[in-house]
Amino acid sequence: MTQIYLRVLASPNADVSNFRIEWDLYAANIILSRLAGVQVFTVAPTQILPPNVDISITDFLNDQQARRSLQLLDYNPDGFARDGRVISIYYLSGANSQTATTIDELSCENNRLTFPILGYTVMPSDVNSSASRFLLAHEIVHSLFARVVESQVDGRVQRNVDDSNPDPNSNGSHSNDPQNLMFPTVPSSQDFTQTDQLPANLLTNAQIQKIIASPYVFQ
């Protein structure tokens, strides 16, 4: 079976009660392993962020707080980040109207990180219920869809990120199907947490094939 690798970090004040992280990882592993044959591993236990790099999700997404955001992303005591193999997951304190956000390498590079992170997701504290356990899986799949594409512009190499959804019924990186994992409003996982049964048509064959071909997926 193929694998992907995650490292998980959390703010001291993030709401990770009710075994939230464990449930999120469990759901992501069930979805990817059963549907795509991709097993989810964490490279280390969840780390609690120290105060000097901790930041709320609101400030993280606020351009006025860019310096502190970069301090968070440059925090790498375990040495696992930024090597092209590990996706970083940050559970941050506070609320976020976008629910969660996955940011690609290009965004990090433009913000002049000391060592660019190739993939990361920030998860807000206000989404912690048995109905939202597919949210982490949704964000991970955004990272698995992403590809860095190089092109020549005026004699210079320009790098862009293509994170398109291969489903023909998709809209950009999201699906138009309310039952699909990649629908902008992620399908409820309420029934899953009670019965361990995945909804039908959670991922299409085209989506599964792109997941399997991701640079983050290893034999």
Side-chain angles (χ1 to χ4, degrees):
M1 181 175 285
T2 54
Q3 302 93 28
I4 62 170
Y5 300 95
L6 313 177
R7 69 165 190 161
V8 182
L9 306 96
S11 294
N13 297 320
D15 182 2
V16 293
S17 61
N18 303 318
F19 299 99
R20 176 190 181 182
I21 294 175
E22 291 84 353
W23 266 111
D24 288 354
L25 291 170
Y26 176 75
N29 185 57
I30 290 293
I31 290 168
L32 291 172
S33 61
R34 288 185 186 176
L35 300 183
V38 177
Q39 194 164 359
V40 177
F41 289 98
T42 54
V43 294
T46 298
Q47 299 182 53
I48 303 301
L49 294 167
N52 64 309
V53 298
D54 187 27
I55 184 172
S56 72
I57 194 167
T58 302
D59 287 344
F60 180 86
L61 297 173
N62 185 336
D63 289 340
Q64 299 302 313
Q65 298 291 331
R67 184 183 62 81
R68 290 190 59 207
S69 297
L70 296 182
Q71 284 180 331
L72 170 67
L73 298 180
D74 266 340
Y75 178 68
N76 189 32
D78 51 26
F80 287 119
R82 302 186 290 268
D83 64 0
R85 296 179 297 168
V86 177
I87 299 172
S88 297
I89 312 295
Y90 297 87
Y91 285 81
L92 301 181
S93 59
N96 174 21
S97 60
Q98 300 178 40
T99 304
T101 301
T102 293
I103 305 179
D104 53 48
E105 178 190 12
L106 189 68
S107 299
C108 297
E109 186 177 25
N110 287 347
N111 283 333
R112 300 180 302 279
L113 279 176
T114 304
F115 301 100
I117 291 177
L118 297 181
Y120 66 87
T121 287
V122 290
M123 301 280 287
S125 275
D126 60 335
V127 183
N128 182 4
S129 73
S130 59
S132 63
R133 299 307 177 208
F134 291 163
L135 179 59
L136 177 60
H138 172 104
E139 297 302 330
I140 290 172
V141 171
H142 274 308
S143 289
L144 299 181
F145 280 171
R147 303 288 190 277
V148 177
V149 179
E150 292 189 354
S151 59
Q152 290 282 341
V153 178
D154 297 328
R156 300 179 63 184
V157 175
Q158 179 172 304
R159 306 173 78 212
N160 294 287
V161 174
D162 174 14
D163 61 355
S164 59
N165 191 321
D167 184 348
N169 296 317
S170 67
N171 177 19
S173 61
H174 286 112
S175 172
N176 292 324
D177 180 0
Q179 302 304 313
N180 191 272
L181 177 67
M182 302 312 292
F183 191 66
T185 305
V186 183
S188 172
S189 58
Q190 181 72 42
D191 293 339
F192 166 80
T193 58
Q194 295 177 356
T195 67
D196 197 22
Q197 296 296 314
L198 292 175
N201 304 319
L202 198 60
L203 289 171
T204 67
N205 287 334
Q207 289 172 324
I208 291 170
Q209 292 307 309
K210 188 166 186 181
I211 287 170
I212 294 171
S214 169
Y216 289 114
V217 174
F218 297 89
Q219 295 289 341

